[in-house]
Amino acid sequence: MVLAVGVAGLLVGTGAFGDDDPGGGATASTTPPAPPASAPRETPARPPSAEPAAEGLLPFGTTHRYADGVEVTVSAPERFTPAEGAAGHKAENTAVKVDVTVRNGSGERLKLVTVQVQGRDGDGREVAGVFDAEQGILPLDGDLLPGRRAVATYAFDVPPRSGDVLEVGVTVGFTGDEGQWSGPLP
């Protein structure tokens, strides 16, 4: 419907339905007609397994910019098998991991210990973290200079009752500003 109205408007604007020249003569134009006003874009359909995004939830892979200029991106979750010495995993649960990338866009050193990462299931219940030093799954640590980035892998132990959605919240510093990502479990 919108397309038909836009095309009709374009045809009227270019004189396709008749000559608006009172003298009856045709006039040639060397400039192309202006494009119609931008039509609304269709939003691609969400996969059937994906929950509708609540306000404020970001899809995995999206970057959140905090008020101080720090930027965080959380990758889509991937299943993995924790090593025997890993802490926080129960055999009946699904272990998933995400990469958390922090870029320091502030003008000061960032203490990475202030980056807190928390996992929740689709019902909002906190899920346990998995720590697996053998596979490099340990929290961020140290200082991050302005303009630099750091990446760490975080893992979560998702119980079967949790459905097929994972939410990851990341707080940087002590401002209380939390970026929140959500998407289907693999």
Side-chain angles (χ1 to χ4, degrees):
M1 176 69 180
V2 172
L3 181 60
V5 171
V7 170
L10 181 61
L11 293 173
V12 168
T14 60
F17 291 120
D19 189 3
D20 290 307
D21 184 10
T27 57
S29 173
T30 58
T31 59
S38 62
R41 295 182 185 168
E42 286 189 32
T43 304
R46 295 177 65 84
S49 65
E51 292 283 323
E55 186 174 333
L57 287 178
L58 301 166
F60 288 115
T62 303
T63 298
H64 175 70
R65 184 178 175 91
Y66 295 80
D68 61 1
V70 173
E71 296 177 350
V72 173
T73 307
V74 178
S75 71
E78 298 176 21
R79 288 180 187 251
F80 83 104
T81 303
E84 263 188 53
H89 175 64
K90 295 181 180 176
E92 67 274 9
N93 293 348
T94 301
V96 295
K97 62 182 180 177
V98 297
D99 284 338
V100 175
T101 303
V102 178
R103 193 184 81 67
N104 186 358
S106 76
E108 300 177 15
R109 283 180 185 257
L110 174 64
K111 297 258 184 227
L112 290 172
V113 71
T114 68
V115 176
Q116 299 298 310
V117 180
Q118 179 182 15
R120 298 179 199 94
D121 66 18
D123 293 328
R125 288 186 291 263
E126 187 172 349
V127 294
V130 175
F131 301 94
D132 189 341
E134 189 176 314
Q135 296 188 54
I137 300 174
L138 297 168
L140 291 161
D141 195 19
D143 288 355
L144 188 61
L145 296 172
R148 304 293 297 170
R149 73 181 185 114
V151 180
T153 302
Y154 287 79
F156 305 101
D157 200 40
V158 184
R161 64 164 164 63
S162 299
D164 62 351
V165 173
L166 177 69
E167 294 181 4
V168 175
V170 180
T171 305
V172 178
F174 304 104
T175 64
D177 181 14
E178 180 183 48
Q180 296 181 8
W181 290 260
S182 180
L185 284 171

